[in-house]
Each structure stands twice: as C-alpha cells, then as structure tokens.
Amino acid sequence: MEQGVQNDDDSSFSTPRLDSFTSTGITPPSSPPRKKMKSLTEIYEQTERCQFTQVTEPNNFQDSVKYKEWCDAMDEEIKALEKHKTWELVDLPDNKEVVGLKWVYKTKYKSDGSIQKYKARLVAKGYMQREGIDFEETFALVARFDTIRTVLALAAHNKWCVYQFDVKSAFLNGVLDEEVYVQQPQGYEIAGEENKVYKLKKTLYGLKQAPKAWCDLINGHFKLHGFHTSESEPTLYVKLRGNDEILIVCLYVDDLIYTSNSAALIAEFKNFMIDEFEMTDLGLMNYFLGLEVKQSDT
C-alpha cells in the first residue's frame, strides 16, 4: 500500500514530499541503482564457459572435407549404404530422370550437452520426384507425445524399467517398389564410371516414399512376432503372454522405447530386433525427444 503522511486539514493520505521526510529525520527512499549492462565481450566469454559445447556444422561438402570427424562420418554413411545393398551402378535408361543427392551434417548431443557423435547423412533431393511416376504413397505415422508420456507414467506407476533402441540408418531398410535413379554421391564417384548413376533397391533419406516404406517394414516385423497395435495409436505395439506378462513398444520413426514386467520378454525383444536390424542399444531410457528421464534398474 502506498505510504503517506496525514494532513491536519484533510483526513486523506497524500504522497510524501522530500521536506516531509527531512523534517521528521527520516531518510527518504532512494532510487534503486541501475544495473550494469554487460558488454558483448563478457557475453561471449560467458557463452564459451557454458557446459554445452556447440559445434559448427558444415553447410556443404566443400566445408566438411576440411575436418577429419566429418570425413569419417561420410565414410561410415557410405559403408552403411553398401552394407544394406541400397543400389547398383547402371547406365541411365532413356526417358528416365535422375534424382540429385546432397550431404547433410548433424552433431548429436547427450543430455549433459557433450557430443555423442558426428552424423553425415546422404539425402535424396525428393523435391525432384514426380507423384505417380517416382512415388505413390508417402504418409507414415509416428507416436504422439501424449502416448509416450502415458507409457512412461504407466511404467513409473508399476516400477517397470523403460529401455531405448535406436535403429541405425532406418530408412535404408525400406524396400523400394518404384524405379528410381540417383546421381553418384559427391566425393565418392567411381573412377572411370562418372557418367553412370545408381539404381535404388532400397529407400534413401529424402525420398518421398522413404518414411512409409520403413514403417511398413517394421510394422510387418512386429506383427510377425506377435505384437498387436492400438486402434487409437497405430505406433503403439503390445505383446501379451499368458495372463500376467506384457511388453509395450512405442515407435517414433527410427527411435523406440519399450517397457515390460517380464525380463524374458525384454530379452526376446532385444534379440529379435538385433537379429533383424542394425541397432544401437541405448540401455535405460534417459533422453528421448527432448524429454529427460531419471531411472535406475534396481
């Protein structure tokens, strides 16, 4: 409430004047000191001391070849493509268009801000594809965030551990039905065969049909191994055994989390996934889609 001194002629309160404080011996209130503005140099120095180490990602292939970590990342991507038998080198048939490729670079971080890995992805320029010729359907479902939170709440209530898998180069597993030709990747052209192109057998990131092809593939594998999908959430998979064992899997593109009240079901699921796909077993879930979770396996 605003302070005031009472006027003998008026019973109302008024805002005190400087001489009113002086005459009573009360020190008048002073204005709060102005905060010192930080210089740009101080802000930059503070940022450098921050625990999150931000790495400048290359904008193009020419920038990336200057750094060993990005060259290694591109080598790893090419090896993954060859391992999946993604393509074959051919002459471009008459009346066929070639889809361009580009390198995309991304630094992945852990929840504490430290660098997890350098990732180079060879991406098709899907905007060059023509609907009805180069692709048909493109729609692919992903789990809703509300569904993920519900699964975590269920696991926490029942004291179940939640585990996480990451599928390496997930889209490279998708089978391609259409006839698609792409150029040779920059920096990895075959000597003496520069005029040839690759005919795709599997999907590439960037292709319009890649997400759907991957989802169709993994959905088929889940159903083959006894999983059922939720009617309201197609990317929520449930497997039941007997009257008291349950395994729940939540899929978000190439990342998935799973929980169960049965150690046997957990072990079976891990084995079947590792046999079918190249996986990274991340163990107990701690960071997923920006959501950080603290748990222990005890």
Side-chain angles (χ1 to χ4, degrees):
M1 182 172 69
E2 186 180 21
Q3 287 186 330
V5 292
Q6 187 171 4
N7 190 315
D8 292 338
D9 299 328
D10 190 354
S11 59
S12 62
F13 287 94
S14 60
T15 304
R17 296 174 302 173
L18 181 61
D19 56 359
S20 300
F21 287 105
T22 306
S23 62
T24 58
I26 302 174
T27 303
S30 58
S31 301
R34 288 187 177 182
K35 293 183 178 180
K36 180 184 176 183
M37 301 295 291
K38 291 183 179 180
S39 67
L40 284 175
T41 303
E42 290 175 317
I43 294 174
Y44 290 148
E45 288 176 351
Q46 241 181 357
T47 303
E48 289 176 357
R49 292 195 297 268
C50 182
Q51 64 172 334
F52 289 91
T53 306
Q54 295 295 332
V55 174
T56 302
E57 294 160 352
N59 292 320
N60 51 55
F61 176 78
Q62 287 75 16
D63 291 341
S64 69
V65 294
K66 300 174 184 177
Y67 305 94
K68 182 181 183 300
E69 57 267 25
W70 294 115
C71 290
D72 292 342
M74 288 189 289
D75 289 343
E76 184 179 348
E77 176 74 351
I78 292 297
K79 288 177 182 177
L81 292 168
E82 293 173 347
K83 182 177 180 179
H84 286 85
K85 299 179 180 179
T86 306
W87 52 33
E88 60 178 339
L89 194 65
V90 299
D91 292 312
L92 181 65
D94 295 334
N95 302 320
K96 289 291 182 180
E97 300 289 336
V98 62
V99 176
L101 299 176
K102 66 176 181 179
W103 286 104
V104 177
Y105 307 93
K106 185 68 176 178
T107 308
K108 291 192 174 183
Y109 297 93
K110 299 178 182 178
S111 59
D112 62 358
S114 59
I115 295 174
Q116 181 179 16
K117 68 181 298 186
Y118 298 95
K119 182 64 182 177
R121 180 76 71 191
L122 190 62
V123 177
K125 298 178 181 179
Y127 59 84
M128 301 175 65
Q129 292 182 277
R130 297 163 296 174
E131 186 173 2
I133 299 175
D134 299 314
F135 68 93
E136 296 292 341
E137 295 184 66
T138 63
F139 184 72
L141 296 166
V142 294
R144 292 175 295 180
F145 197 69
D146 288 344
T147 302
I148 295 168
R149 292 182 58 149
T150 302
V151 171
L152 293 177
L154 178 66
H157 178 75
N158 290 285
K159 294 182 171 55
W160 300 343
C161 290
V162 183
Y163 302 92
Q164 186 175 356
F165 264 141
D166 173 58
V167 185
K168 293 183 179 179
S169 305
F171 284 8
L172 304 186
N173 293 284
V175 178
L176 191 63
D177 296 325
E178 298 84 1
E179 192 175 348
V180 179
Y181 299 89
V182 297
Q183 65 182 185
Q184 296 187 49
Q186 191 173 12
Y188 294 86
E189 296 87 350
I190 306 299
E193 306 282 358
E194 291 84 357
N195 294 327
K196 291 190 175 183
V197 297
Y198 282 118
K199 180 182 179 181
L200 293 182
K201 298 178 179 179
K202 302 284 187 68
T203 55
L204 278 181
Y205 284 85
L207 289 179
K208 298 286 188 181
Q209 61 269 55
K212 185 178 184 302
W214 158 244
C215 287
D216 287 346
L217 178 68
I218 195 167
N219 183 63
H221 280 286
F222 278 148
K223 289 184 176 180
L224 188 64
H225 286 80
F227 284 89
H228 301 279
T229 57
S230 166
E231 292 183 2
S232 58
E233 180 62 277
T235 56
L236 178 67
Y237 298 89
V238 178
K239 184 175 183 177
L240 300 172
R241 177 182 290 169
N243 297 322
D244 58 355
E245 290 184 301
I246 184 172
L247 172 65
I248 302 172
V249 179
C250 211
L251 177 67
Y252 193 94
V253 190
D254 55 357
D255 291 305
L256 56 90
I257 59 173
Y258 56 100
T259 185
S260 175
N261 62 351
S262 169
L265 282 177
I266 289 285
E268 288 178 16
F269 179 68
K270 284 186 176 183
N271 291 335
F272 122 69
M273 288 297 293
I274 292 173
D275 288 342
E276 297 288 348
F277 307 102
E278 189 175 358
M279 311 287 297
T280 300
D281 186 357
L282 301 175
L284 287 173
M285 172 190 168
N286 60 76
Y287 193 72
F288 185 71
L289 301 180
L291 187 66
E292 188 171 355
V293 175
K294 298 293 183 182
Q295 60 176 325
S296 64
D297 55 2
T298 57

